[in-house]
PDB file of all heavy atoms in Angstrom:
ATOM      1  N   ILE A   1      28.982  72.447 123.828  1.00 98.00           N
ATOM      2  CA  ILE A   1      27.637  72.787 123.842  1.00 98.00           C
ATOM      3  C   ILE A   1      27.097  72.652 125.264  1.00 98.00           C
ATOM      4  O   ILE A   1      27.286  71.591 125.983  1.00 98.00           O
ATOM      5  CB  ILE A   1      26.846  71.760 123.009  1.00 98.00           C
ATOM      6  CG1 ILE A   1      27.482  71.821 121.493  1.00 98.00           C
ATOM      7  CG2 ILE A   1      25.298  72.174 122.853  1.00 98.00           C
ATOM      8  CD1 ILE A   1      26.926  70.744 120.612  1.00 98.00           C
ATOM      9  N   GLU A   2      26.221  73.677 125.762  1.00 98.00           N
ATOM     10  CA  GLU A   2      25.362  73.416 126.784  1.00 98.00           C
ATOM     11  C   GLU A   2      23.979  73.357 126.313  1.00 98.00           C
ATOM     12  O   GLU A   2      23.418  74.345 125.696  1.00 98.00           O
ATOM     13  CB  GLU A   2      25.487  74.603 127.767  1.00 98.00           C
ATOM     14  CG  GLU A   2      24.503  74.397 129.003  1.00 98.00           C
ATOM     15  CD  GLU A   2      24.561  75.467 130.124  1.00 98.00           C
ATOM     16  OE1 GLU A   2      25.606  76.167 130.171  1.00 98.00           O
ATOM     17  OE2 GLU A   2      23.619  75.517 130.906  1.00 98.00           O
ATOM     18  N   TYR A   3      23.260  72.212 126.620  1.00 98.00           N
ATOM     19  CA  TYR A   3      21.879  72.030 126.259  1.00 98.00           C
ATOM     20  C   TYR A   3      20.962  72.604 127.434  1.00 98.00           C
ATOM     21  O   TYR A   3      21.250  72.270 128.586  1.00 98.00           O
ATOM     22  CB  TYR A   3      21.520  70.697 126.075  1.00 98.00           C
ATOM     23  CG  TYR A   3      22.286  70.013 124.940  1.00 98.00           C
ATOM     24  CD1 TYR A   3      23.488  69.307 125.217  1.00 98.00           C
ATOM     25  CD2 TYR A   3      21.951  70.142 123.584  1.00 98.00           C
ATOM     26  CE1 TYR A   3      24.227  68.753 124.197  1.00 98.00           C
ATOM     27  CE2 TYR A   3      22.679  69.568 122.490  1.00 98.00           C
ATOM     28  CZ  TYR A   3      23.792  68.912 122.861  1.00 98.00           C
ATOM     29  OH  TYR A   3      24.606  68.228 121.819  1.00 98.00           O
ATOM     30  N   ALA A   4      20.132  73.461 127.106  1.00 98.00           N
ATOM     31  CA  ALA A   4      19.256  74.113 128.184  1.00 98.00           C
ATOM     32  C   ALA A   4      17.866  74.321 127.793  1.00 98.00           C
ATOM     33  O   ALA A   4      17.488  73.990 126.553  1.00 98.00           O
ATOM     34  CB  ALA A   4      19.948  75.517 128.513  1.00 98.00           C
ATOM     35  N   GLY A   5      16.940  74.946 128.535  1.00 98.00           N
ATOM     36  CA  GLY A   5      15.654  75.041 128.230  1.00 98.00           C
ATOM     37  C   GLY A   5      14.735  73.991 128.986  1.00 98.00           C
ATOM     38  O   GLY A   5      15.165  72.948 129.414  1.00 98.00           O
ATOM     39  N   SER A   6      13.529  74.331 128.984  1.00 98.00           N
ATOM     40  CA  SER A   6      12.526  73.532 129.869  1.00 98.00           C
ATOM     41  C   SER A   6      12.421  72.093 129.161  1.00 98.00           C
ATOM     42  O   SER A   6      12.222  71.139 130.035  1.00 98.00           O
ATOM     43  CB  SER A   6      11.101  74.160 129.865  1.00 98.00           C
ATOM     44  OG  SER A   6      10.684  74.489 128.584  1.00 98.00           O
ATOM     45  N   ALA A   7      12.547  71.917 127.868  1.00 98.00           N
ATOM     46  CA  ALA A   7      12.468  70.691 127.305  1.00 98.00           C
ATOM     47  C   ALA A   7      13.542  69.791 127.752  1.00 98.00           C
ATOM     48  O   ALA A   7      13.364  68.458 127.935  1.00 98.00           O
ATOM     49  CB  ALA A   7      12.270  70.730 125.866  1.00 98.00           C
ATOM     50  N   ILE A   8      14.750  70.302 127.823  1.00 98.00           N
ATOM     51  CA  ILE A   8      15.989  69.609 128.201  1.00 98.00           C
ATOM     52  C   ILE A   8      15.822  69.220 129.702  1.00 98.00           C
ATOM     53  O   ILE A   8      16.086  68.037 130.096  1.00 98.00           O
ATOM     54  CB  ILE A   8      17.227  70.385 127.969  1.00 98.00           C
ATOM     55  CG1 ILE A   8      17.454  70.579 126.427  1.00 98.00           C
ATOM     56  CG2 ILE A   8      18.480  69.630 128.469  1.00 98.00           C
ATOM     57  CD1 ILE A   8      17.617  69.460 125.585  1.00 98.00           C
ATOM     58  N   ARG A   9      15.411  70.273 130.621  1.00 98.00           N
ATOM     59  CA  ARG A   9      15.351  69.981 131.837  1.00 98.00           C
ATOM     60  C   ARG A   9      14.206  68.914 132.185  1.00 98.00           C
ATOM     61  O   ARG A   9      14.315  68.198 133.307  1.00 98.00           O
ATOM     62  CB  ARG A   9      14.902  71.201 132.759  1.00 98.00           C
ATOM     63  CG  ARG A   9      16.005  72.263 132.702  1.00 98.00           C
ATOM     64  CD  ARG A   9      15.703  73.327 133.715  1.00 98.00           C
ATOM     65  NE  ARG A   9      14.497  74.143 133.401  1.00 98.00           N
ATOM     66  CZ  ARG A   9      14.395  75.123 132.614  1.00 98.00           C
ATOM     67  NH1 ARG A   9      15.532  75.587 132.063  1.00 98.00           N
ATOM     68  NH2 ARG A   9      13.346  75.753 132.336  1.00 98.00           N
ATOM     69  N   GLY A  10      13.281  68.762 131.311  1.00 98.00           N
ATOM     70  CA  GLY A  10      12.233  67.745 131.496  1.00 98.00           C
ATOM     71  C   GLY A  10      12.561  66.255 131.107  1.00 98.00           C
ATOM     72  O   GLY A  10      11.909  65.367 131.400  1.00 98.00           O
ATOM     73  N   LEU A  11      13.795  66.034 130.571  1.00 97.00           N
ATOM     74  CA  LEU A  11      14.298  64.812 130.181  1.00 97.00           C
ATOM     75  C   LEU A  11      14.678  63.973 131.305  1.00 97.00           C
ATOM     76  O   LEU A  11      15.252  64.457 132.325  1.00 97.00           O
ATOM     77  CB  LEU A  11      15.387  64.945 129.223  1.00 97.00           C
ATOM     78  CG  LEU A  11      15.043  65.552 127.775  1.00 97.00           C
ATOM     79  CD1 LEU A  11      16.416  65.692 126.926  1.00 97.00           C
ATOM     80  CD2 LEU A  11      14.171  64.662 126.929  1.00 97.00           C
ATOM     81  N   SER A  12      14.552  62.618 131.247  1.00 96.00           N
ATOM     82  CA  SER A  12      15.116  61.703 132.272  1.00 96.00           C
ATOM     83  C   SER A  12      16.551  61.715 132.092  1.00 96.00           C
ATOM     84  O   SER A  12      17.147  62.295 131.096  1.00 96.00           O
ATOM     85  CB  SER A  12      14.584  60.345 131.976  1.00 96.00           C
ATOM     86  OG  SER A  12      15.129  59.758 130.787  1.00 96.00           O
ATOM     87  N   MET A  13      17.302  61.140 132.958  1.00 96.00           N
ATOM     88  CA  MET A  13      18.736  61.028 132.924  1.00 96.00           C
ATOM     89  C   MET A  13      19.106  60.241 131.637  1.00 96.00           C
ATOM     90  O   MET A  13      20.111  60.661 130.982  1.00 96.00           O
ATOM     91  CB  MET A  13      19.377  60.504 134.152  1.00 96.00           C
ATOM     92  CG  MET A  13      20.924  60.573 134.107  1.00 96.00           C
ATOM     93  SD  MET A  13      21.540  62.296 133.892  1.00 96.00           S
ATOM     94  CE  MET A  13      20.844  63.161 135.326  1.00 96.00           C
ATOM     95  N   GLU A  14      18.348  59.205 131.497  1.00 94.00           N
ATOM     96  CA  GLU A  14      18.702  58.393 130.120  1.00 94.00           C
ATOM     97  C   GLU A  14      18.528  59.306 128.986  1.00 94.00           C
ATOM     98  O   GLU A  14      19.214  59.193 127.973  1.00 94.00           O
ATOM     99  CB  GLU A  14      17.734  57.206 130.096  1.00 94.00           C
ATOM    100  CG  GLU A  14      18.192  56.095 131.061  1.00 94.00           C
ATOM    101  CD  GLU A  14      17.781  56.337 132.469  1.00 94.00           C
ATOM    102  OE1 GLU A  14      16.927  57.277 132.724  1.00 94.00           O
ATOM    103  OE2 GLU A  14      18.378  55.700 133.423  1.00 94.00           O
ATOM    104  N   GLY A  15      17.537  60.118 128.904  1.00 95.00           N
ATOM    105  CA  GLY A  15      17.226  61.048 127.695  1.00 95.00           C
ATOM    106  C   GLY A  15      18.504  61.957 127.588  1.00 95.00           C
ATOM    107  O   GLY A  15      18.869  62.338 126.597  1.00 95.00           O
ATOM    108  N   ARG A  16      18.887  62.490 128.746  1.00 97.00           N
ATOM    109  CA  ARG A  16      19.958  63.551 128.701  1.00 97.00           C
ATOM    110  C   ARG A  16      21.287  62.733 128.307  1.00 97.00           C
ATOM    111  O   ARG A  16      22.030  63.489 127.526  1.00 97.00           O
ATOM    112  CB  ARG A  16      20.195  64.062 130.088  1.00 97.00           C
ATOM    113  CG  ARG A  16      19.046  64.802 130.676  1.00 97.00           C
ATOM    114  CD  ARG A  16      19.240  65.329 132.044  1.00 97.00           C
ATOM    115  NE  ARG A  16      18.151  66.062 132.628  1.00 97.00           N
ATOM    116  CZ  ARG A  16      18.125  66.878 133.668  1.00 97.00           C
ATOM    117  NH1 ARG A  16      19.201  66.955 134.315  1.00 97.00           N
ATOM    118  NH2 ARG A  16      16.993  67.373 134.060  1.00 97.00           N
ATOM    119  N   LEU A  17      21.512  61.584 128.607  1.00 96.00           N
ATOM    120  CA  LEU A  17      22.744  60.849 128.063  1.00 96.00           C
ATOM    121  C   LEU A  17      22.579  60.686 126.655  1.00 96.00           C
ATOM    122  O   LEU A  17      23.677  60.834 125.929  1.00 96.00           O
ATOM    123  CB  LEU A  17      22.693  59.475 128.824  1.00 96.00           C
ATOM    124  CG  LEU A  17      23.052  59.468 130.278  1.00 96.00           C
ATOM    125  CD1 LEU A  17      22.717  58.089 130.974  1.00 96.00           C
ATOM    126  CD2 LEU A  17      24.633  59.724 130.493  1.00 96.00           C
ATOM    127  N   THR A  18      21.429  60.414 126.122  1.00 95.00           N
ATOM    128  CA  THR A  18      21.237  60.290 124.552  1.00 95.00           C
ATOM    129  C   THR A  18      21.648  61.599 123.923  1.00 95.00           C
ATOM    130  O   THR A  18      22.391  61.619 122.914  1.00 95.00           O
ATOM    131  CB  THR A  18      19.894  60.018 124.283  1.00 95.00           C
ATOM    132  OG1 THR A  18      19.577  58.581 124.862  1.00 95.00           O
ATOM    133  CG2 THR A  18      19.617  59.887 122.838  1.00 95.00           C
ATOM    134  N   VAL A  19      21.137  62.694 124.395  1.00 97.00           N
ATOM    135  CA  VAL A  19      21.380  63.953 123.848  1.00 97.00           C
ATOM    136  C   VAL A  19      22.815  64.329 123.902  1.00 97.00           C
ATOM    137  O   VAL A  19      23.540  64.622 122.824  1.00 97.00           O
ATOM    138  CB  VAL A  19      20.665  65.156 124.515  1.00 97.00           C
ATOM    139  CG1 VAL A  19      21.094  66.579 124.059  1.00 97.00           C
ATOM    140  CG2 VAL A  19      19.131  65.021 124.143  1.00 97.00           C
ATOM    141  N   CYS A  20      23.525  64.178 125.002  1.00 97.00           N
ATOM    142  CA  CYS A  20      24.871  64.562 125.096  1.00 97.00           C
ATOM    143  C   CYS A  20      25.821  63.644 124.307  1.00 97.00           C
ATOM    144  O   CYS A  20      26.901  64.036 123.649  1.00 97.00           O
ATOM    145  CB  CYS A  20      25.330  64.549 126.568  1.00 97.00           C
ATOM    146  SG  CYS A  20      24.694  65.950 127.513  1.00 97.00           S
ATOM    147  N   ASN A  21      25.423  62.399 124.170  1.00 95.00           N
ATOM    148  CA  ASN A  21      26.164  61.353 123.388  1.00 95.00           C
ATOM    149  C   ASN A  21      26.349  61.875 121.987  1.00 95.00           C
ATOM    150  O   ASN A  21      27.550  61.772 121.464  1.00 95.00           O
ATOM    151  CB  ASN A  21      25.467  60.124 123.451  1.00 95.00           C
ATOM    152  CG  ASN A  21      26.045  59.028 122.597  1.00 95.00           C
ATOM    153  OD1 ASN A  21      25.960  59.023 121.284  1.00 95.00           O
ATOM    154  ND2 ASN A  21      26.931  58.089 123.062  1.00 95.00           N
ATOM    155  N   MET A  22      25.336  62.456 121.453  1.00 94.00           N
ATOM    156  CA  MET A  22      25.407  62.851 119.938  1.00 94.00           C
ATOM    157  C   MET A  22      25.880  64.307 119.735  1.00 94.00           C
ATOM    158  O   MET A  22      25.768  64.711 118.719  1.00 94.00           O
ATOM    159  CB  MET A  22      23.976  62.583 119.358  1.00 94.00           C
ATOM    160  CG  MET A  22      23.570  61.158 119.287  1.00 94.00           C
ATOM    161  SD  MET A  22      22.194  60.750 118.172  1.00 94.00           S
ATOM    162  CE  MET A  22      22.666  61.355 116.619  1.00 94.00           C
ATOM    163  N   SER A  23      26.412  64.762 120.807  1.00 96.00           N
ATOM    164  CA  SER A  23      27.141  66.183 120.456  1.00 96.00           C
ATOM    165  C   SER A  23      28.096  66.016 119.526  1.00 96.00           C
ATOM    166  O   SER A  23      28.326  66.982 118.731  1.00 96.00           O
ATOM    167  CB  SER A  23      27.679  66.601 121.808  1.00 96.00           C
ATOM    168  OG  SER A  23      26.639  66.864 122.759  1.00 96.00           O
ATOM    169  N   ILE A  24      28.870  64.846 119.398  1.00 94.00           N
ATOM    170  CA  ILE A  24      29.928  64.593 118.411  1.00 94.00           C
ATOM    171  C   ILE A  24      29.359  64.700 117.101  1.00 94.00           C
ATOM    172  O   ILE A  24      29.957  65.168 116.057  1.00 94.00           O
ATOM    173  CB  ILE A  24      30.666  63.387 118.786  1.00 94.00           C
ATOM    174  CG1 ILE A  24      31.065  63.313 120.199  1.00 94.00           C
ATOM    175  CG2 ILE A  24      31.800  63.180 117.769  1.00 94.00           C
ATOM    176  CD1 ILE A  24      31.891  64.566 120.645  1.00 94.00           C
ATOM    177  N   GLU A  25      28.082  64.203 116.871  1.00 94.00           N
ATOM    178  CA  GLU A  25      27.409  64.156 115.494  1.00 94.00           C
ATOM    179  C   GLU A  25      27.150  65.552 114.943  1.00 94.00           C
ATOM    180  O   GLU A  25      26.964  65.696 113.901  1.00 94.00           O
ATOM    181  CB  GLU A  25      26.312  63.228 115.500  1.00 94.00           C
ATOM    182  CG  GLU A  25      26.549  61.815 115.104  1.00 94.00           C
ATOM    183  CD  GLU A  25      27.323  61.126 116.253  1.00 94.00           C
ATOM    184  OE1 GLU A  25      27.086  61.193 117.298  1.00 94.00           O
ATOM    185  OE2 GLU A  25      28.502  60.624 115.745  1.00 94.00           O
ATOM    186  N   ALA A  26      27.066  66.504 115.934  1.00 96.00           N
ATOM    187  CA  ALA A  26      26.978  67.982 115.486  1.00 96.00           C
ATOM    188  C   ALA A  26      28.316  68.725 115.385  1.00 96.00           C
ATOM    189  O   ALA A  26      28.310  69.812 115.208  1.00 96.00           O
ATOM    190  CB  ALA A  26      26.064  68.692 116.572  1.00 96.00           C
ATOM    191  N   GLY A  27      29.422  67.907 115.613  1.00 96.00           N
ATOM    192  CA  GLY A  27      30.704  68.547 115.439  1.00 96.00           C
ATOM    193  C   GLY A  27      31.223  69.045 116.677  1.00 96.00           C
ATOM    194  O   GLY A  27      32.441  69.560 116.643  1.00 96.00           O
ATOM    195  N   GLY A  28      30.546  68.983 117.868  1.00 97.00           N
ATOM    196  CA  GLY A  28      30.930  69.499 118.970  1.00 97.00           C
ATOM    197  C   GLY A  28      32.145  68.809 119.686  1.00 97.00           C
ATOM    198  O   GLY A  28      32.344  67.635 119.453  1.00 97.00           O
ATOM    199  N   ARG A  29      32.902  69.577 120.520  1.00 96.00           N
ATOM    200  CA  ARG A  29      33.958  68.935 121.259  1.00 96.00           C
ATOM    201  C   ARG A  29      33.392  68.220 122.355  1.00 96.00           C
ATOM    202  O   ARG A  29      33.876  67.199 122.783  1.00 96.00           O
ATOM    203  CB  ARG A  29      34.963  70.061 121.734  1.00 96.00           C
ATOM    204  CG  ARG A  29      36.092  69.574 122.600  1.00 96.00           C
ATOM    205  CD  ARG A  29      36.916  68.729 121.729  1.00 96.00           C
ATOM    206  NE  ARG A  29      38.242  68.437 122.420  1.00 96.00           N
ATOM    207  CZ  ARG A  29      38.834  67.251 122.359  1.00 96.00           C
ATOM    208  NH1 ARG A  29      38.432  66.199 121.609  1.00 96.00           N
ATOM    209  NH2 ARG A  29      39.937  67.018 123.096  1.00 96.00           N
ATOM    210  N   ALA A  30      32.315  68.706 123.049  1.00 97.00           N
ATOM    211  CA  ALA A  30      31.651  68.121 124.121  1.00 97.00           C
ATOM    212  C   ALA A  30      30.314  68.761 124.250  1.00 97.00           C
ATOM    213  O   ALA A  30      29.914  69.712 123.586  1.00 97.00           O
ATOM    214  CB  ALA A  30      32.524  68.295 125.383  1.00 97.00           C
TER     215      ALA A  30
END
């Protein structure tokens, strides 16, 4: 998955780490 869009770009690095961490809970490889 690539997360994109203005709301994603507006996240802090900690917020981005949270989103990418849970990619697995959506079934994604990464």
Side-chain angles (χ1 to χ4, degrees):
I1 305 167
E2 178 179 342
Y3 300 97
S6 56
I8 297 296
R9 292 192 298 273
L11 294 175
S12 67
M13 188 54 62
E14 286 74 18
R16 297 178 185 194
L17 289 162
T18 296
V19 169
C20 289
N21 175 283
M22 289 192 65
S23 301
I24 307 308
E25 270 63 53
R29 179 64 170 144

